[in-house]
Amino acid sequence: MKLLQDRILKDGVFKEGGILKVDSFLNHQMDIELLNEIGKEFARLFKDKKVSKILTIEASGIGIACIAAQYFGVPVVFAKKAQSKNLDGEIYTSTVHSYTHDKEYIIRVSKKFITKDDCVLVIDDFLANGKALIGLMEIIEQSGAELAGCGICIEKGFQDGGKYIRSLGVDLQSLAIIDYDENGNVLFR
Amino acid sequence: MKLLQDRILKDGVFKEGGILKVDSFLNHQMDIELLNEIGKEFARLFKDKKVSKILTIEASGIGIACIAAQYFGVPVVFAKKAQSKNLDGEIYTSTVHSYTHDKEYIIRVSKKFITKDDCVLVIDDFLANGKALIGLMEIIEQSGAELAGCGICIEKGFQDGGKYIRSLGVDLQSLAIIDYDENGNVLFR
């Protein structure tokens, strides 16, 4: 998606160790016009799927998923990372390792909100090693729902997550896949 | 806002100790059509303010704030609860006590995204004791920005937050204010 790629080049900050900061428009401050274009693009990419629900994970996936959901006409469910008094009843859980926060955490989704009758599209801001996405896919598998696919804003092509998830046969669509050439210059795949 | 009040009566779950669960439509699963009506109502209530930015707090405020932001044409910034490798540079901080999670936590906003030239509208899903809202207002005060007001979906009228924040002269607009009568029946103020 050229609009997103151009924005990454304009406002993204590339740091050592493959770190890319897009906090000025995607995951701390959010440019809602850009999010709308991203939402339209996800709707175009998954137009042949009968998506009944969008699943994301707190926190930075939520805004993207909610704006995108307008183009699908479906509700959003977000997986919670913290145990909460507000999350009771039966839940699906999965364990995820976060490199950003350097810890393992349990993600939780109430069983009420994803059932075997759903066709679930997963949306998130980043895909790197894929641990969060795999956690969300495990929850969908537990529910018996159909996985429509995964829509990602920015995939780090130089990490293994995308390759692994595509090897499972998942319809993974990333709007910008970042690689580096041998001189360390940013390339979009 | 009658639509929200009706939805709370239809799908909200009232529990002992003043707990109200709205996780089927507002803060775990999110009904995006409802969120759009909420966003339009916030835009109507704050139409006389020159809002330049919407501030909310992760996680459940983000979806509501992003949908609402479409009717203001401004970006959303969300305060982060966790220390993150992705949040560096100069930050505003404030300490908040969460009754839901029963702990103190620090909320953080990058100084890049709220400045003295901004007029900031705060949006959140719930107002009870007001601790999160006060934390967000403290951050706005540190920035030197103008506080346009606070837009809340559900205020617990039987807790002190709303009364205290209004006593500060803040333009606080809650779409549904819940009270109980002497027999424990739900009333909207």
PDB file of all heavy atoms in Angstrom, chain A residues 4 6 9 12 15 27 29 47 52 55 68 72 74-75 80 87 94 107 116 130 136 158-159 162-163 168 177 182:
ATOM      1  N   LEU A   4       0.827   4.007   2.821  1.00  0.00           N
ATOM      2  CA  LEU A   4       1.453   3.629   4.081  1.00  0.00           C
ATOM      3  C   LEU A   4       2.971   3.571   3.936  1.00  0.00           C
ATOM      4  O   LEU A   4       3.713   4.046   4.822  1.00  0.00           O
ATOM      5  CB  LEU A   4       0.900   2.286   4.563  1.00  0.00           C
ATOM      6  CG  LEU A   4       1.504   1.747   5.864  1.00  0.00           C
ATOM      7  CD1 LEU A   4       1.284   2.710   7.019  1.00  0.00           C
ATOM      8  CD2 LEU A   4       0.908   0.379   6.201  1.00  0.00           C
ATOM      9  N   ASP A   6       4.841   5.257   1.889  1.00  0.00           N
ATOM     10  CA  ASP A   6       5.348   6.637   1.826  1.00  0.00           C
ATOM     11  C   ASP A   6       5.371   7.277   3.215  1.00  0.00           C
ATOM     12  O   ASP A   6       6.299   8.003   3.568  1.00  0.00           O
ATOM     13  CB  ASP A   6       4.480   7.486   0.887  1.00  0.00           C
ATOM     14  CG  ASP A   6       4.669   7.102  -0.576  1.00  0.00           C
ATOM     15  OD1 ASP A   6       5.638   6.367  -0.871  1.00  0.00           O
ATOM     16  OD2 ASP A   6       3.855   7.526  -1.408  1.00  0.00           O
ATOM     17  N   LEU A   9       8.286   6.010   5.244  1.00  0.00           N
ATOM     18  CA  LEU A   9       9.543   6.659   4.839  1.00  0.00           C
ATOM     19  C   LEU A   9       9.600   8.104   5.321  1.00  0.00           C
ATOM     20  O   LEU A   9      10.653   8.606   5.689  1.00  0.00           O
ATOM     21  CB  LEU A   9       9.698   6.604   3.319  1.00  0.00           C
ATOM     22  CG  LEU A   9       9.926   5.202   2.740  1.00  0.00           C
ATOM     23  CD1 LEU A   9       9.970   5.261   1.225  1.00  0.00           C
ATOM     24  CD2 LEU A   9      11.212   4.572   3.293  1.00  0.00           C
ATOM     25  N   GLY A  12       8.394   7.539   9.756  1.00  0.00           N
ATOM     26  CA  GLY A  12       8.917   6.455  10.573  1.00  0.00           C
ATOM     27  C   GLY A  12      10.354   6.734  10.986  1.00  0.00           C
ATOM     28  O   GLY A  12      11.084   7.437  10.293  1.00  0.00           O
ATOM     29  N   LYS A  15      15.665   2.493  13.721  1.00  0.00           N
ATOM     30  CA  LYS A  15      16.717   2.451  14.726  1.00  0.00           C
ATOM     31  C   LYS A  15      17.481   1.140  14.633  1.00  0.00           C
ATOM     32  O   LYS A  15      17.052   0.202  13.957  1.00  0.00           O
ATOM     33  CB  LYS A  15      16.100   2.586  16.124  1.00  0.00           C
ATOM     34  CG  LYS A  15      15.367   3.914  16.317  1.00  0.00           C
ATOM     35  CD  LYS A  15      15.156   4.188  17.785  1.00  0.00           C
ATOM     36  CE  LYS A  15      14.803   5.641  17.990  1.00  0.00           C
ATOM     37  NZ  LYS A  15      14.872   6.038  19.410  1.00  0.00           N
ATOM     38  N   ASN A  27       0.740   4.042  16.258  1.00  0.00           N
ATOM     39  CA  ASN A  27       0.515   3.292  17.497  1.00  0.00           C
ATOM     40  C   ASN A  27       0.806   4.035  18.810  1.00  0.00           C
ATOM     41  O   ASN A  27       0.994   3.399  19.848  1.00  0.00           O
ATOM     42  CB  ASN A  27       1.250   1.946  17.453  1.00  0.00           C
ATOM     43  CG  ASN A  27       2.733   2.085  17.171  1.00  0.00           C
ATOM     44  OD1 ASN A  27       3.288   3.178  17.293  1.00  0.00           O
ATOM     45  ND2 ASN A  27       3.367   0.993  16.812  1.00  0.00           N
ATOM     46  N   GLN A  29       0.306   8.132  18.727  1.00  0.00           N
ATOM     47  CA  GLN A  29      -0.615   9.050  18.047  1.00  0.00           C
ATOM     48  C   GLN A  29      -1.121   8.315  16.800  1.00  0.00           C
ATOM     49  O   GLN A  29      -0.344   7.624  16.124  1.00  0.00           O
ATOM     50  CB  GLN A  29       0.109  10.335  17.650  1.00  0.00           C
ATOM     51  CG  GLN A  29      -0.776  11.306  16.887  1.00  0.00           C
ATOM     52  CD  GLN A  29      -0.176  12.692  16.799  1.00  0.00           C
ATOM     53  OE1 GLN A  29      -0.567  13.589  17.505  1.00  0.00           O
ATOM     54  NE2 GLN A  29       0.799  12.861  15.915  1.00  0.00           N
ATOM     55  N   LYS A  47     -12.276  -9.046   0.578  1.00  0.00           N
ATOM     56  CA  LYS A  47     -13.680  -8.869   0.170  1.00  0.00           C
ATOM     57  C   LYS A  47     -14.368 -10.192  -0.152  1.00  0.00           C
ATOM     58  O   LYS A  47     -15.593 -10.290  -0.114  1.00  0.00           O
ATOM     59  CB  LYS A  47     -13.792  -7.900  -1.015  1.00  0.00           C
ATOM     60  CG  LYS A  47     -13.185  -8.402  -2.316  1.00  0.00           C
ATOM     61  CD  LYS A  47     -13.392  -7.367  -3.411  1.00  0.00           C
ATOM     62  CE  LYS A  47     -12.958  -7.914  -4.766  1.00  0.00           C
ATOM     63  NZ  LYS A  47     -11.531  -8.333  -4.819  1.00  0.00           N
ATOM     64  N   SER A  52     -17.187 -12.262   9.845  1.00  0.00           N
ATOM     65  CA  SER A  52     -18.273 -11.943  10.784  1.00  0.00           C
ATOM     66  C   SER A  52     -17.752 -11.206  12.012  1.00  0.00           C
ATOM     67  O   SER A  52     -18.531 -10.647  12.781  1.00  0.00           O
ATOM     68  CB  SER A  52     -18.993 -13.219  11.224  1.00  0.00           C
ATOM     69  OG  SER A  52     -18.134 -14.028  12.018  1.00  0.00           O
ATOM     70  N   LEU A  55     -10.815  -9.709  15.083  1.00  0.00           N
ATOM     71  CA  LEU A  55     -10.127  -9.938  16.353  1.00  0.00           C
ATOM     72  C   LEU A  55      -8.790  -9.215  16.319  1.00  0.00           C
ATOM     73  O   LEU A  55      -8.034  -9.302  15.341  1.00  0.00           O
ATOM     74  CB  LEU A  55      -9.891 -11.440  16.569  1.00  0.00           C
ATOM     75  CG  LEU A  55      -9.130 -11.837  17.840  1.00  0.00           C
ATOM     76  CD1 LEU A  55      -9.906 -11.474  19.110  1.00  0.00           C
ATOM     77  CD2 LEU A  55      -8.809 -13.338  17.830  1.00  0.00           C
ATOM     78  N   ALA A  68     -11.223  -0.140  10.618  1.00  0.00           N
ATOM     79  CA  ALA A  68     -11.399  -1.105   9.526  1.00  0.00           C
ATOM     80  C   ALA A  68     -12.772  -1.775   9.586  1.00  0.00           C
ATOM     81  O   ALA A  68     -13.398  -2.027   8.552  1.00  0.00           O
ATOM     82  CB  ALA A  68     -10.296  -2.165   9.582  1.00  0.00           C
ATOM     83  N   PHE A  72     -16.334  -3.471   6.999  1.00  0.00           N
ATOM     84  CA  PHE A  72     -16.812  -4.850   6.988  1.00  0.00           C
ATOM     85  C   PHE A  72     -18.218  -4.962   7.594  1.00  0.00           C
ATOM     86  O   PHE A  72     -18.891  -5.969   7.389  1.00  0.00           O
ATOM     87  CB  PHE A  72     -15.858  -5.750   7.791  1.00  0.00           C
ATOM     88  CG  PHE A  72     -14.511  -5.970   7.160  1.00  0.00           C
ATOM     89  CD1 PHE A  72     -13.455  -5.103   7.409  1.00  0.00           C
ATOM     90  CD2 PHE A  72     -14.291  -7.052   6.317  1.00  0.00           C
ATOM     91  CE1 PHE A  72     -12.201  -5.303   6.832  1.00  0.00           C
ATOM     92  CE2 PHE A  72     -13.038  -7.265   5.743  1.00  0.00           C
ATOM     93  CZ  PHE A  72     -11.996  -6.382   5.999  1.00  0.00           C
ATOM     94  N   VAL A  74     -18.881  -5.280  10.835  1.00  0.00           N
ATOM     95  CA  VAL A  74     -18.857  -6.343  11.864  1.00  0.00           C
ATOM     96  C   VAL A  74     -18.293  -5.776  13.166  1.00  0.00           C
ATOM     97  O   VAL A  74     -17.618  -4.737  13.158  1.00  0.00           O
ATOM     98  CB  VAL A  74     -17.988  -7.551  11.413  1.00  0.00           C
ATOM     99  CG1 VAL A  74     -18.516  -8.127  10.110  1.00  0.00           C
ATOM    100  CG2 VAL A  74     -16.513  -7.173  11.296  1.00  0.00           C
ATOM    101  N   PRO A  75     -18.536  -6.465  14.283  1.00  0.00           N
ATOM    102  CA  PRO A  75     -17.957  -6.025  15.562  1.00  0.00           C
ATOM    103  C   PRO A  75     -16.465  -6.358  15.662  1.00  0.00           C
ATOM    104  O   PRO A  75     -15.961  -7.221  14.939  1.00  0.00           O
ATOM    105  CB  PRO A  75     -18.724  -6.832  16.617  1.00  0.00           C
ATOM    106  CG  PRO A  75     -19.837  -7.519  15.897  1.00  0.00           C
ATOM    107  CD  PRO A  75     -19.421  -7.625  14.461  1.00  0.00           C
ATOM    108  N   LYS A  80      -7.360  -9.419  25.621  1.00  0.00           N
ATOM    109  CA  LYS A  80      -6.834  -8.648  26.749  1.00  0.00           C
ATOM    110  C   LYS A  80      -5.543  -9.289  27.251  1.00  0.00           C
ATOM    111  O   LYS A  80      -5.404 -10.512  27.250  1.00  0.00           O
ATOM    112  CB  LYS A  80      -7.865  -8.602  27.872  1.00  0.00           C
ATOM    113  CG  LYS A  80      -9.185  -7.975  27.413  1.00  0.00           C
ATOM    114  CD  LYS A  80     -10.029  -7.498  28.564  1.00  0.00           C
ATOM    115  CE  LYS A  80     -11.252  -6.763  28.034  1.00  0.00           C
ATOM    116  NZ  LYS A  80     -11.869  -5.906  29.043  1.00  0.00           N
ATOM    117  N   LEU A  87     -13.218  -9.393  33.520  1.00  0.00           N
ATOM    118  CA  LEU A  87     -13.198 -10.524  32.595  1.00  0.00           C
ATOM    119  C   LEU A  87     -13.464 -11.790  33.393  1.00  0.00           C
ATOM    120  O   LEU A  87     -12.565 -12.369  33.993  1.00  0.00           O
ATOM    121  CB  LEU A  87     -11.842 -10.586  31.889  1.00  0.00           C
ATOM    122  CG  LEU A  87     -11.727 -11.525  30.682  1.00  0.00           C
ATOM    123  CD1 LEU A  87     -12.720 -11.137  29.603  1.00  0.00           C
ATOM    124  CD2 LEU A  87     -10.321 -11.483  30.109  1.00  0.00           C
ATOM    125  N   SER A  94      -4.173 -17.895  25.621  1.00  0.00           N
ATOM    126  CA  SER A  94      -2.982 -18.337  24.920  1.00  0.00           C
ATOM    127  C   SER A  94      -1.802 -17.566  25.512  1.00  0.00           C
ATOM    128  O   SER A  94      -1.970 -16.454  26.009  1.00  0.00           O
ATOM    129  CB  SER A  94      -3.128 -18.055  23.424  1.00  0.00           C
ATOM    130  OG  SER A  94      -1.981 -18.497  22.732  1.00  0.00           O
ATOM    131  N   ILE A 107      -2.877 -13.977  26.906  1.00  0.00           N
ATOM    132  CA  ILE A 107      -3.942 -13.199  26.295  1.00  0.00           C
ATOM    133  C   ILE A 107      -5.264 -13.942  26.487  1.00  0.00           C
ATOM    134  O   ILE A 107      -5.290 -15.178  26.531  1.00  0.00           O
ATOM    135  CB  ILE A 107      -3.674 -12.905  24.802  1.00  0.00           C
ATOM    136  CG1 ILE A 107      -3.606 -14.175  23.947  1.00  0.00           C
ATOM    137  CG2 ILE A 107      -2.379 -12.093  24.651  1.00  0.00           C
ATOM    138  CD1 ILE A 107      -3.502 -13.886  22.453  1.00  0.00           C
ATOM    139  N   LYS A 116     -17.986 -21.000  17.109  1.00  0.00           N
ATOM    140  CA  LYS A 116     -17.693 -21.832  15.928  1.00  0.00           C
ATOM    141  C   LYS A 116     -18.401 -21.336  14.668  1.00  0.00           C
ATOM    142  O   LYS A 116     -18.044 -21.713  13.555  1.00  0.00           O
ATOM    143  CB  LYS A 116     -18.024 -23.306  16.201  1.00  0.00           C
ATOM    144  CG  LYS A 116     -19.504 -23.578  16.442  1.00  0.00           C
ATOM    145  CD  LYS A 116     -19.750 -25.069  16.628  1.00  0.00           C
ATOM    146  CE  LYS A 116     -21.193 -25.367  16.999  1.00  0.00           C
ATOM    147  NZ  LYS A 116     -22.210 -24.664  16.201  1.00  0.00           N
ATOM    148  N   GLY A 130       5.877 -12.842  14.999  1.00  0.00           N
ATOM    149  CA  GLY A 130       4.578 -13.490  14.824  1.00  0.00           C
ATOM    150  C   GLY A 130       3.958 -14.081  16.069  1.00  0.00           C
ATOM    151  O   GLY A 130       2.903 -14.717  15.998  1.00  0.00           O
ATOM    152  N   LEU A 136      -3.272 -15.251  18.794  1.00  0.00           N
ATOM    153  CA  LEU A 136      -4.647 -14.943  18.379  1.00  0.00           C
ATOM    154  C   LEU A 136      -5.217 -16.092  17.532  1.00  0.00           C
ATOM    155  O   LEU A 136      -6.388 -16.462  17.681  1.00  0.00           O
ATOM    156  CB  LEU A 136      -4.679 -13.627  17.592  1.00  0.00           C
ATOM    157  CG  LEU A 136      -4.352 -12.372  18.408  1.00  0.00           C
ATOM    158  CD1 LEU A 136      -4.203 -11.154  17.489  1.00  0.00           C
ATOM    159  CD2 LEU A 136      -5.426 -12.101  19.459  1.00  0.00           C
ATOM    160  N   PHE A 158      12.355  -9.081   7.443  1.00  0.00           N
ATOM    161  CA  PHE A 158      13.632  -9.662   7.861  1.00  0.00           C
ATOM    162  C   PHE A 158      13.491 -10.486   9.128  1.00  0.00           C
ATOM    163  O   PHE A 158      14.472 -11.025   9.637  1.00  0.00           O
ATOM    164  CB  PHE A 158      14.682  -8.558   8.052  1.00  0.00           C
ATOM    165  CG  PHE A 158      14.223  -7.438   8.957  1.00  0.00           C
ATOM    166  CD1 PHE A 158      14.497  -7.480  10.315  1.00  0.00           C
ATOM    167  CD2 PHE A 158      13.512  -6.363   8.449  1.00  0.00           C
ATOM    168  CE1 PHE A 158      14.067  -6.463  11.154  1.00  0.00           C
ATOM    169  CE2 PHE A 158      13.083  -5.339   9.281  1.00  0.00           C
ATOM    170  CZ  PHE A 158      13.362  -5.387  10.628  1.00  0.00           C
ATOM    171  N   GLN A 159      12.259 -10.599   9.684  1.00  0.00           N
ATOM    172  CA  GLN A 159      12.023 -11.510  10.802  1.00  0.00           C
ATOM    173  C   GLN A 159      11.133 -12.656  10.318  1.00  0.00           C
ATOM    174  O   GLN A 159      10.571 -12.619   9.230  1.00  0.00           O
ATOM    175  CB  GLN A 159      11.410 -10.745  11.978  1.00  0.00           C
ATOM    176  CG  GLN A 159      12.446  -9.807  12.616  1.00  0.00           C
ATOM    177  CD  GLN A 159      12.024  -9.275  13.974  1.00  0.00           C
ATOM    178  OE1 GLN A 159      11.947  -8.092  14.154  1.00  0.00           O
ATOM    179  NE2 GLN A 159      11.764 -10.138  14.923  1.00  0.00           N
ATOM    180  N   GLY A 162       6.221 -13.737   9.327  1.00  0.00           N
ATOM    181  CA  GLY A 162       5.423 -13.796   8.100  1.00  0.00           C
ATOM    182  C   GLY A 162       5.625 -15.091   7.338  1.00  0.00           C
ATOM    183  O   GLY A 162       4.664 -15.717   6.879  1.00  0.00           O
ATOM    184  N   LYS A 163       6.878 -15.498   7.213  1.00  0.00           N
ATOM    185  CA  LYS A 163       7.200 -16.729   6.491  1.00  0.00           C
ATOM    186  C   LYS A 163       6.529 -17.935   7.157  1.00  0.00           C
ATOM    187  O   LYS A 163       5.929 -18.785   6.493  1.00  0.00           O
ATOM    188  CB  LYS A 163       8.729 -16.901   6.483  1.00  0.00           C
ATOM    189  CG  LYS A 163       9.232 -17.994   5.589  1.00  0.00           C
ATOM    190  CD  LYS A 163      10.756 -17.979   5.582  1.00  0.00           C
ATOM    191  CE  LYS A 163      11.294 -19.184   4.806  1.00  0.00           C
ATOM    192  NZ  LYS A 163      12.750 -19.253   4.857  1.00  0.00           N
ATOM    193  N   LEU A 168       1.735 -21.942   6.974  1.00  0.00           N
ATOM    194  CA  LEU A 168       0.575 -22.655   7.515  1.00  0.00           C
ATOM    195  C   LEU A 168      -0.616 -22.588   6.569  1.00  0.00           C
ATOM    196  O   LEU A 168      -1.667 -23.172   6.844  1.00  0.00           O
ATOM    197  CB  LEU A 168       0.171 -22.056   8.871  1.00  0.00           C
ATOM    198  CG  LEU A 168       1.225 -22.040   9.981  1.00  0.00           C
ATOM    199  CD1 LEU A 168       0.695 -21.290  11.205  1.00  0.00           C
ATOM    200  CD2 LEU A 168       1.636 -23.459  10.371  1.00  0.00           C
ATOM    201  N   ILE A 177       5.724  -4.420   3.692  1.00  0.00           N
ATOM    202  CA  ILE A 177       6.692  -5.415   4.168  1.00  0.00           C
ATOM    203  C   ILE A 177       8.077  -4.809   4.030  1.00  0.00           C
ATOM    204  O   ILE A 177       8.540  -4.508   2.922  1.00  0.00           O
ATOM    205  CB  ILE A 177       6.600  -6.734   3.373  1.00  0.00           C
ATOM    206  CG1 ILE A 177       5.178  -7.294   3.433  1.00  0.00           C
ATOM    207  CG2 ILE A 177       7.608  -7.759   3.926  1.00  0.00           C
ATOM    208  CD1 ILE A 177       4.988  -8.601   2.664  1.00  0.00           C
ATOM    209  N   GLU A 182      21.754  -4.803   1.392  1.00  0.00           N
ATOM    210  CA  GLU A 182      23.040  -5.101   2.056  1.00  0.00           C
ATOM    211  C   GLU A 182      23.717  -3.867   2.649  1.00  0.00           C
ATOM    212  O   GLU A 182      24.585  -3.973   3.524  1.00  0.00           O
ATOM    213  CB  GLU A 182      23.983  -5.838   1.093  1.00  0.00           C
ATOM    214  CG  GLU A 182      24.378  -5.045  -0.138  1.00  0.00           C
ATOM    215  CD  GLU A 182      23.442  -5.300  -1.322  1.00  0.00           C
ATOM    216  OE1 GLU A 182      22.255  -5.636  -1.110  1.00  0.00           O
ATOM    217  OE2 GLU A 182      23.893  -5.157  -2.443  1.00  0.00           O
TER     218      GLU A 182
END
